[in-house]
Amino acid sequence: MNRNEQDFQAEKQLVREYFSQLIASPASELEHVQNRFIASDYLWRGFHPFHEIRCAHKVATQFWQPLKTSLSHLQRRMDVFMAGANTIEDQGGIWVVSMGHLMGLFDEPWLGIPPTGKIAMLPYCDFHRVENGKITETAVYFDIPHLMMQAGLHPFPPQTAAHLVQPGPMTHGGLMFDTQDPAEGRKTLAAIDHMVEDIKTWRGGVKEPLVDELRRSWNEDMIWWGPAGIGATYTIERYAKQHSSPFRAGMTNRTFNGHICRIAEGHFGGFFGWPNLTLTPSGGFMGMPATNTPGDMRVIDIYRRDGGKLSENWVFIDLLHFWNMQGIDILSRITGIAAGQETGAQGAVV
């Protein structure tokens, strides 16, 4: 059987057990969990301010222990779970993907963000490469500005789309713990590949109405679940107006750097890069000033296919890293505001 069409049940089970023990174990035992599941040559990629960590023990002490201390009674609430063979040939590997929210009681500060004592939900998506019964690579992307906004902070000027706790798939079919029909995964991958390739008409400067371009890849009732600072938007017309058009107008010198992993299973698929894009802010996007400085966007996209086109898209962008490359340290400024330092207009970083 072609490895692209196997069921990946062993890899899925390994990652599910890893998740279970991460949640169940106290902070003092997380390093033992890492020893059981993580390879010695581990590579972990996370959003700013974590970046790359090449040590399982440091991941436990620098990320998981502080997070579990801050978000007490932590739960992993998954909306999508899938696996597959990487279609990026020069990267390869079998990868397991999950997406949803890490939820807990926000009882202690995290990264300088003040606790609320209330439920907090940190949107996340992670990709895990599994080889010889161990996890060798992880990319875990998490929306820190979303957590800031739950704590009453305002890291960005008012966004163009809606800010909300994002739900899972409309079909509730994203948790693919069992074997899926390989033919459905191939259809999903084809839809994603078509969309990625078609965006090159924008990068190549071809002029046409944006909504016409989008309709080649998306169903009319598409939903784009964007990160905090940009927001969520619904239907092709509103997506074009509330995100895609401002994004294209506010970014120049766009370079596509490729993906590290791209997989699909059933009606779902996705990819991540490190970074996916390099762009130069020309002013206006997210209400931020022009910098004329190239910046990298690390992005995870997760998609749901309906028929031959895409219907839902969950997007994770390391906006803190991108704006930090522009000389705007949003994390430091906004946590300084929380600590009583001087604020900009309406408490937003300017």
Side-chain angles (χ1 to χ4, degrees):
M1 180 184 292
N2 187 318
R3 191 64 175 110
N4 287 306
E5 297 188 354
Q6 289 189 9
D7 58 23
F8 311 111
Q9 289 301 98
E11 290 86 358
K12 287 182 178 180
Q13 186 57 43
L14 177 78
V15 172
R16 290 181 69 187
E17 181 63 21
Y18 174 57
F19 288 170
S20 177
Q21 293 200 22
L22 272 179
I23 294 299
S25 299
S28 61
E29 295 182 9
L30 291 178
E31 291 190 52
H32 298 297
V33 176
Q34 297 292 81
N35 285 338
R36 177 176 175 185
F37 292 95
I38 304 300
S40 59
D41 57 347
Y42 188 47
L43 170 58
W44 186 94
R45 300 177 176 96
F47 275 3
H48 178 86
F50 296 97
H51 307 286
E52 290 188 359
I53 302 176
R54 294 180 177 270
C55 172
H57 298 291
K58 289 182 179 179
V59 173
T61 58
Q62 295 178 18
F63 179 74
W64 284 112
Q65 287 180 358
L67 182 64
K68 290 195 68 174
T69 300
S70 297
L71 296 181
S72 64
H73 302 281
L74 190 69
Q75 292 185 357
R76 183 185 293 263
R77 301 179 64 88
M78 290 194 294
D79 295 311
V80 172
F81 184 83
M82 61 183 172
N86 190 1
T87 62
I88 307 299
E89 292 184 358
D90 60 346
Q91 297 289 339
I94 306 303
W95 294 75
V96 180
V97 179
S98 78
M99 185 201 78
H101 294 83
L102 297 173
M103 188 192 84
L105 297 173
F106 197 1
D107 286 340
E108 299 289 341
W110 188 58
L111 302 177
I113 305 169
T116 63
K118 302 175 183 178
I119 289 175
M121 302 187 76
L122 178 64
Y124 84 92
C125 186
D126 51 26
F127 281 61
H128 300 274
R129 181 171 182 163
V130 179
E131 298 176 281
N132 301 317
K134 294 280 189 176
I135 298 171
T136 60
E137 288 185 56
T138 293
V140 54
Y141 292 5
F142 32 85
D143 195 339
I144 296 173
H146 196 287
L147 187 66
M148 292 178 180
M149 294 171 75
Q150 292 173 65
L153 305 177
H154 303 281
F156 300 110
Q159 57 194 36
T160 55
H163 173 72
L164 42 81
V165 174
Q166 299 175 357
M170 187 176 69
T171 58
H172 300 280
L175 296 177
M176 291 170 282
F177 299 135
D178 298 325
T179 304
Q180 304 295 307
D181 180 358
E184 294 298 329
R186 290 194 296 271
K187 292 176 185 177
T188 302
L189 187 63
I192 294 171
D193 288 346
H194 177 269
M195 180 273 302
V196 171
E197 291 300 313
D198 202 42
I199 292 177
K200 291 179 180 178
T201 62
W202 162 52
R203 290 195 293 270
V206 175
K207 301 297 183 181
E208 68 172 325
L210 176 55
V211 293
D212 290 348
E213 174 198 321
L214 294 169
R215 287 187 175 111
R216 290 197 293 268
S217 299
W218 299 89
N219 289 309
E220 198 67 35
D221 61 348
M222 67 167 290
I223 310 175
W224 192 83
W225 303 106
I230 302 173
T233 186
Y234 172 47
T235 75
I236 284 177
E237 184 270 333
R238 294 298 170 87
Y239 168 70
K241 178 180 179 181
Q242 295 175 349
H243 172 62
S244 190
S245 182
F247 179 80
R248 296 185 184 198
M251 297 290 180
T252 59
N253 302 321
R254 297 171 289 263
T255 301
F256 176 60
N257 300 309
H259 299 140
I260 290 176
C261 179
R262 191 187 302 175
I263 70 166
E265 188 175 32
H267 287 259
F268 294 83
F271 52 70
F272 82 90
W274 188 262
N276 307 46
L277 302 168
T278 301
L279 316 97
T280 302
S282 57
F285 180 64
M286 297 180 63
M288 303 295 271
T291 64
N292 299 314
T293 300
D296 294 335
M297 281 194 171
R298 304 161 171 171
V299 184
I300 280 179
D301 278 86
I302 301 295
Y303 301 91
R304 178 178 68 85
R305 173 183 57 84
D306 185 2
K309 297 182 180 181
L310 303 172
S311 280
E312 290 190 87
N313 183 196
W314 295 262
V315 184
F316 299 78
I317 305 175
D318 195 351
L319 293 172
L320 297 183
H321 174 62
F322 179 80
W323 292 114
N324 195 55
M325 294 182 73
Q326 313 308 309
I328 305 172
D329 189 343
I330 290 170
L331 182 61
S332 293
R333 292 190 186 189
I334 204 67
T335 54
I337 289 170
Q341 296 181 7
E342 292 183 0
T343 65
Q346 298 181 348
V349 175
V350 294

